[in-house]
Amino acid sequence: MSTPQIPDEFLAKVARRATARMARTDRPFLAERVLGITAHRVRDRRLKADLLGAAADTQLSRGLVPRHLVQAYGAELACADADLKAGRKKEAAASCTRALQLAFHRAAHFDGYASPLAADPGGFTAPLRRSRTLRAMRSSRTRAEQAVAPPTDRPVRILFAHSGNDNFLPVITGHFAQTTGVETRILDTSADPALAPLANKMGRMAALALGAGAEYGRQAEAVLRPHLDWADVVFIDWSTAAAAFFTLVDPGTTRIVVRLHSYEAFSHWPQLTGFSRVDDVVFVSEHLRDLAVEAVPGLTEPDGPRIHVIDNAVSLPRFTRPKPPEARFALGLVGVGQVAKDPLWALEVLRLLRRRDTRYTLHLVGALPAPDASPAVRRYHDALSEALAPLQAAGAIRLLGPTEDVPAVLAEIGTILSTSLRESWHLGLVEGAASGAVPVVRDWPFFAGRPHGPRTLFPDAWVITTPAEAAERILALTSDEEAWRKAGHEASEHALAAWDWETVKRGFDRLLLGAER
């Protein structure tokens, strides 16, 4: 005797009640179980995606990570695949866009202590690899010709492009602007009057990649072609909107290079980028490369790009300034405006140190996390404010805010901290080490236990796993002024030898010009 099927209408009613329950409790385990039992049994594909998506939205809007997030965005991708099979390309693009927005919502990856993508890159992104829609988007963007080698009868033309963030470009662009036989231009796709109205349209990009939106394609071609025709090499910093936009059009024989930092690996933009039109992808660390190749299918397909690891570009000698004796007891954390930097962890280190010696203080450089960014950030901000109050009252904290003169700030700091949950390279830590501050690096939780991480990027002795270990390292190396200065000098020598631009620039010369200069 067959089990009678429960009508979709009844299952949907129960699922909606479970979703409403989620909105009223911080412990939605039972409601999520009910949702799982009901929504997953709904037979109508569109209804199932709507129910799971609405429940996910409820959790994400409260700064919580839904237990069923992969199922929710996977259900939306199933709708996209069905629409694509039926020839409804615009509808497929809309569902694909919705799925990516769910999968890479900031609450899931940026505003908390963990990320389901970092915990299981392959598992979390499995629906992306299975999706026929996303495979169709990737396979549609081929190039008619291969990129050619840099010319020898005229200057090499390099276009540096970004989408509103050139923080890591000035040293690179300055170098190539002064290199004989090179012409450079810089393009901000978010500020250019012709490109800006087109270059951040996620839904239109998806539609065009599926063969819809011909007019948008003509507009993209018209605004990008002059830049592609001028350039021999386009170097796009950050694999965000600019990278996705440039790969909407065939680059011809122009070489396309994209640099992917930590942020983008946890965002939707690499999933929308046509990596078959990208010749080279650059990572600033091995652990970031490992994560991205697991999470972004386009990076490892047969027509995918060559992959490189080149350290960040920074000129370090300007940070080597004398430190006063009192800097020995000053800890520093540069950049505290994101939950990912986890300044609360630094406060715990400070509390442990001050139990032994109240001369230790902590200098926080940068703005604190903005409480209006999201509910999860507000919770972190409130916890941080509460933890800061007694330490500020005791004179143990200096809130320095943003500064344009980081070398001057670092001259007053004797121990530089990296307390982050995740980093691709951590510029502030390297600059602090170059200044002669003792480096103390948390084993970043998003990458802990993986083959590569801070222990393969930095000297192993710099890396610790707990606040207690951090405090013991600091106490040991700042026990007296001679020991502290010796440790700081060794850190500075290592940073300058390993990461100064004079060393790193050779990698960029080989990458962009194909030769040493």
Side-chain angles (χ1 to χ4, degrees):
M1 185 176 180
S2 62
T3 302
Q5 290 185 338
I6 302 174
D8 279 359
E9 294 78 5
F10 177 80
L11 293 169
K13 184 176 181 179
V14 177
R16 291 188 181 107
R17 285 180 177 175
T19 297
R21 172 83 175 175
M22 287 182 202
R24 299 193 299 268
T25 178
D26 291 330
R27 296 184 177 182
F29 178 75
L30 181 59
E32 287 186 316
R33 285 290 303 272
V34 173
L35 176 76
I37 294 170
T38 55
H40 292 297
R41 295 178 67 180
V42 170
R43 291 175 295 281
D44 182 88
R45 184 183 292 110
R46 180 68 266 165
L47 179 59
K48 177 185 290 189
D50 288 344
L51 291 169
L52 290 169
D57 284 336
T58 296
Q59 296 292 77
L60 292 166
S61 68
R62 303 176 68 210
L64 304 174
V65 182
R67 291 165 59 91
H68 65 285
L69 182 57
V70 172
Q71 292 82 358
Y73 93 76
E76 194 65 54
L77 284 177
C79 291
D81 290 350
D83 283 329
L84 184 64
K85 185 177 180 180
R88 297 187 293 268
K89 294 179 179 180
K90 290 184 179 180
E91 290 81 356
S95 278
C96 182
T97 300
R98 162 75 170 146
L100 291 175
Q101 288 170 334
L102 279 173
F104 296 100
H105 194 283
R106 62 174 295 160
H109 309 292
F110 294 101
D111 295 345
Y113 284 101
S115 156
L117 186 149
D120 181 10
F124 182 80
T125 60
L128 302 177
R129 283 183 292 278
R130 292 196 301 263
S131 170
R132 294 178 180 177
T133 304
L134 283 164
R135 286 203 303 269
M137 289 169 57
R138 293 193 296 270
S139 64
S140 69
R141 284 172 287 182
T142 58
R143 56 192 304 164
E145 301 177 83
Q146 294 300 308
V148 299
T152 57
D153 58 345
R154 61 167 174 78
V156 179
R157 298 169 181 165
I158 305 176
L159 173 68
F160 293 96
H162 62 92
S163 182
N165 188 339
D166 64 349
N167 292 352
F168 298 107
L169 275 178
V171 173
I172 302 171
T173 55
H175 166 70
F176 285 104
Q178 298 171 11
T179 298
T180 302
V182 177
E183 292 181 26
T184 64
R185 291 180 183 176
I186 300 174
L187 175 66
D188 179 356
T189 61
S190 70
D192 183 90
L195 274 67
L198 302 171
N200 198 26
K201 304 298 183 182
M202 180 181 177
R204 297 181 75 181
M205 290 182 188
L208 180 60
L210 291 175
E215 177 56 29
Y216 177 65
R218 285 190 288 271
Q219 293 172 344
E221 169 74 25
V223 297
L224 288 175
R225 185 55 56 192
H227 297 290
L228 291 167
D229 285 348
W230 177 83
D232 299 303
V233 181
V234 177
F235 181 92
I236 306 170
D237 206 19
W238 302 88
S239 185
T240 56
F245 186 59
F246 260 89
T247 58
L248 291 177
V249 302
D250 189 332
T253 59
T254 299
R255 188 160 154 246
I256 305 295
V257 181
V258 173
R259 183 163 63 163
L260 196 155
H261 299 263
S262 174
Y263 160 80
E264 310 95 283
F266 298 91
S267 80
H268 60 262
W269 287 117
Q271 309 297 335
L272 289 169
T273 299
F275 283 105
S276 60
R277 287 176 171 167
V278 175
D279 299 282
D280 300 271
V281 171
V282 180
F283 298 97
V284 296
S285 59
E286 292 175 314
H287 63 271
L288 179 60
R289 175 204 60 199
D290 295 349
L291 177 74
V293 298
E294 284 191 74
V296 182
L299 291 174
T300 53
E301 292 183 338
D303 58 353
R306 296 178 291 267
I307 291 177
H308 313 265
V309 176
I310 304 177
D311 290 301
N312 244 325
V314 56
S315 180
L316 293 175
R318 64 194 181 99
F319 292 94
T320 58
R321 299 184 182 184
K323 292 183 185 291
E326 58 269 22
R328 174 161 64 108
F329 299 99
L331 317 180
L333 184 61
V334 179
V336 294
Q338 305 168 34
V339 174
K341 300 296 183 181
D342 202 8
L344 274 170
W345 207 88
L347 297 190
E348 179 59 21
V349 175
L350 178 65
R351 281 191 289 264
L352 292 171
L353 288 170
R354 287 178 62 82
R355 290 176 187 173
R356 306 271 287 273
D357 192 329
T358 57
R359 287 177 293 179
Y360 286 101
T361 60
L362 175 62
H363 298 206
L364 297 176
V365 184
L368 297 180
D372 58 348
S374 77
V377 176
R378 177 175 290 280
R379 289 194 291 271
Y380 189 94
H381 173 273
D382 292 347
L384 180 62
S385 297
E386 183 178 354
L388 279 170
L391 291 167
Q392 287 181 280
I397 297 289
R398 289 190 64 191
L399 297 177
L400 300 179
T403 179
E404 295 295 323
D405 193 355
V406 177
V409 169
L410 289 174
E412 306 294 323
I413 289 172
T415 297
I416 187 69
L417 301 177
S418 176
T419 62
S420 304
L421 298 164
R422 61 171 173 84
E423 290 285 350
S424 61
W425 196 76
H426 206 170
L427 179 62
L429 184 281
V430 171
E431 291 172 342
S435 80
V438 173
V440 177
V441 184
R442 180 185 188 181
D443 192 5
W444 305 320
F446 278 30
F447 298 101
R450 296 174 69 85
H452 297 105
R455 293 187 187 279
T456 52
L457 181 60
F458 304 123
D460 186 69
W462 293 11
V463 184
I464 44 78
T465 57
T466 67
E469 288 180 12
E472 289 304 318
R473 172 170 166 79
I474 294 165
L475 288 167
L477 296 180
T478 61
S479 58
D480 60 61
E481 187 170 345
E482 182 180 358
W484 165 61
R485 292 198 182 276
K486 179 176 182 293
H489 177 70
E490 290 172 352
S492 180
E493 284 193 327
H494 181 89
L496 290 166
W499 302 304
D500 181 54
W501 176 244
E502 289 303 310
T503 298
V504 173
K505 71 179 182 181
R506 292 193 288 270
F508 281 94
D509 284 338
R510 288 192 295 269
L511 175 71
L512 300 183
L513 302 178
E516 299 278 358
R517 289 289 174 124

